[in-house]
Amino acid sequence: MPDDEPLLESAKRKRKSLDKDKHEKKRRKEKKHKKDKKKEKKQKKGACDSWGKYGIIREVDMYRKDQEFSLWLQEVKKIDPDQLSNWDKKTYFKDFMEDYNTCTMPNKKFYNLEKWELKDAEKRKKRIVKEYKSAQKKKPDVEVPSIFNDEEELRIQKKKEREQKDYQAYRDKLFEATLNAANKEK
């Protein structure tokens, strides 16, 4: 049996080293898993950092936030809102509500669509102006069209037309008055 003791000790040592290796591998896996979770959390972060930053909505706000909710259904959930029953809409609105209140929406447009559209239009306008200016630098004879504020242009155009009509009416009256005066002198 004295010969068996060194074998037993070497087997025990092997087992201990195997156990130690298993424990080390397990610890590394857990550490890696924690890192992956942290990375996932960072990637899942939404458009803002704090809870309720854009306000807190409840189920009664479903109709007030209808545009944002419909857009969210279409873009995030890939669902046509017109095809949903009222019960399904309420269920999906709860998800929307949670994302809204916890600020985990993928884009800021889901918080206030109108405000986002205005900012987006302003960005597009600036980009177009920049493109036209760079084109004008290359070819100076290119006129930069002012297509950005159609309503303002239309108002100005109508004002000019009115002024031209008024001026023409004034000239006609002046001409008639001159003719009348000339006829009276004869």
Side-chain angles (χ1 to χ4, degrees):
M1 290 239 162
D3 292 336
D4 289 341
E5 280 184 34
L7 288 175
L8 285 175
E9 282 184 37
S10 67
K12 283 182 182 178
R13 273 188 248 139
K14 278 186 181 180
R15 190 178 303 143
K16 279 185 181 180
S17 68
L18 288 175
D19 288 344
K20 201 174 188 181
D21 288 343
K22 283 182 184 178
H23 180 71
E24 187 67 27
K25 283 181 182 179
K26 189 177 180 181
R27 191 179 66 77
R28 285 183 189 154
K29 265 189 180 180
E30 287 174 359
K31 204 173 187 181
K32 186 178 180 185
H33 183 68
K34 284 182 183 179
K35 282 184 182 180
D36 290 342
K37 271 191 174 181
K38 281 184 181 179
K39 283 181 184 177
E40 239 178 74
K41 262 189 181 179
K42 285 181 182 178
Q43 289 174 350
K44 280 187 180 180
K45 264 192 178 175
C48 65
D49 298 331
S50 59
W51 190 84
K53 180 178 179 182
Y54 293 98
I56 297 171
I57 59 171
R58 293 174 178 75
E59 287 182 30
V60 294
D61 297 319
M62 184 171 170
Y63 298 105
R64 188 174 60 84
K65 288 290 184 184
D66 188 53
Q67 286 182 327
E68 290 86 353
F69 175 56
S70 296
L71 185 66
W72 178 80
L73 279 174
Q74 290 171 352
E75 292 187 11
V76 176
K77 296 293 185 177
K78 309 282 190 246
I79 297 172
D80 183 18
D82 297 331
Q83 303 297 322
L84 291 176
S85 67
N86 284 339
W87 180 258
D88 290 336
K89 279 186 182 180
K90 285 181 182 178
T91 306
Y92 280 112
F93 190 75
K94 287 180 183 177
D95 292 341
F96 175 78
M97 212 171 51
E98 182 181 336
D99 288 351
Y100 188 98
N101 292 339
T102 57
C103 270
T104 53
M105 293 283 187
N107 196 320
K108 287 186 179 183
K109 66 182 167 187
F110 300 118
Y111 296 104
N112 189 342
L113 185 61
E114 204 172 298
K115 184 177 176 183
W116 181 84
E117 284 176 341
L118 288 173
K119 282 185 178 180
D120 190 50
E122 191 66 30
K123 284 179 187 177
R124 278 186 274 135
K125 179 181 173 182
K126 286 179 182 178
R127 188 181 70 238
I128 291 171
V129 167
K130 189 176 178 181
E131 288 172 4
Y132 277 117
K133 284 184 178 179
S134 66
Q136 199 173 27
K137 285 180 183 176
K138 292 177 185 174
K139 296 181 181 179
D141 58 335
V142 175
E143 187 177 318
V144 178
S146 55
I147 59 170
F148 311 114
N149 197 348
D150 294 338
E151 293 170 1
E152 182 67 21
E153 283 183 26
L154 186 62
R155 187 184 64 74
I156 291 170
Q157 183 181 2
K158 286 182 179 180
K159 185 179 178 183
K160 284 181 181 178
E161 287 173 3
R162 263 187 266 117
E163 288 174 354
Q164 285 177 347
K165 283 181 184 178
D166 291 345
Y167 180 70
Q168 189 64 35
Y170 170 74
R171 286 187 63 199
D172 290 343
K173 284 182 182 179
L174 188 61
F175 183 71
E176 284 180 32
T178 312
L179 280 177
N180 289 338
N183 285 338
K184 284 183 182 179
E185 288 179 7
K186 287 184 185 181

